[in-house]
Amino acid sequence: MVMKRLHFFRTAGMLSIFLIILPAISIHCHRQGEETISGSVHPLLILEKNDVEAIKKGILKYTLLNESFHASRQIADKAIEEGISVPVPKDPGGGYTHELHKNNYVAMYHAGLVYQLTGEKKYALFVRDMLLQYADLYPALGLHPESRGSGPGKLFWQGLNESVWLVYTIQAYDCVYDFISPDDRKKIEAQLFHKMVSFFTEEDSYSFNRIHNHGTWTVAGVGMTGLVLDEQKYVEMALYGTRLDSTGGFMRQINDLFSPDGFYSEGPYYQRYAIMPFIIFAKALDNNRPGSGIFEYKDGVLAKAVTTLIQLTDNNGRFYPLNDAMKEKSLDSPELVYATNIAYSLTGHQELLAAARQSGHVMLS
């Protein structure tokens, strides 16, 4: 199948677009007015610095946004009160260390958001101090002692959990980036984020290049890390696979995993799970590479996929039980908050707004 490769060239201060027929798709534009994102103002992924003041005003005006903010603040405050714990991983899924590392990325994510919206240093300190502890821990880790078969992790018994950890944690780091000293940033990036990316792209490249929901979480985490750290090679690998030849990566995942109408190959239950990394990595790309056309790609299939996902629920908002679906997952799932909010901002479709209301929570964006 022949696809289009998009190249963006800067001429006389304007972007000219040349379409060349080649076997892959490339998105090479950077933030407006910059050659690279180096020196950009953080945060720059989903929550952008220029939007913070508008969100603060919205919190005072809109009940749902206000409630969502206070829910995030409650999570962050509880975590700060309980203190930081970064144990050596030893338990499989459901075990103490497994659940604690999951709780840590959730706490860091919410603390980062609250720091941006309040300016209170205790939230940034919490994220910084926890990241420094992870930077001390991660380089010494081998494969998780409970790992089984393909796709193992280091913090977790499977790499999927590690990818999810990275997707949340890199957003937290983005939110507190400017608060952290250059020396501490150097340590966190060298001993944690770069080593984690190396693990995904070298030690477990099979999972990274896999056209599957595990691969989607992994490329989203690595690609977003590339945007925050201004490591463009990470972004390119996330888009086109470790060999940069489109045999893996985000663009092939979009091509191979979705029908033209937005149906996902693994069924509605896994579409619910995978839609979050698809949507947020696409949004991060859209924010940082203007003109990339990621949401227009394949006739806007990512936004279609959100609408299709909602249509694959019953009257109670539960996903049809295909492919080992679990009954407790429904339109109230956190993944649908991201998906419906971002897709609604793109399309304005009222059914997405109704689904967002049903969840009772919105993104702080």
Side-chain angles (χ1 to χ4, degrees), residues 46 86 261:
I46 310 302
V86 180
D261 286 330

Side-chain angles (χ1 to χ4, degrees), residues 160 212-214 217 264-276 278 309 319 322-325:
L160 171 62
H212 182 269
N213 73 80
H214 289 207
W217 278 99
Y264 184 68
S265 64
E266 296 178 80
Y269 177 76
Y270 283 98
Q271 183 163 346
R272 179 272 317 167
Y273 185 61
I275 200 66
M276 180 175 169
F278 271 114
L309 183 56
F319 299 101
L322 304 173
N323 194 13
D324 69 1

Side-chain angles (χ1 to χ4, degrees), residues 10 15 27-49 174 223-230 232 235 280-295:
R10 191 179 299 275
L15 292 176
I27 305 172
H28 287 299
C29 172
H30 300 285
R31 295 177 70 82
Q32 289 178 335
E34 302 173 1
E35 278 302 315
T36 71
I37 65 169
S38 178
S40 296
V41 176
H42 294 263
L44 52 76
L45 287 174
I46 310 302
L47 173 65
E48 294 187 282
K49 191 67 175 180
D174 184 34
M224 291 164 69
T225 300
L227 291 171
V228 174
L229 273 54
D230 193 19
Q232 297 304 314
V235 182
I280 63 172
F281 183 34
K283 182 60 176 172
L285 284 169
D286 192 52
N287 287 342
N288 288 275
R289 294 187 169 191
S292 68
I294 188 65
F295 283 114

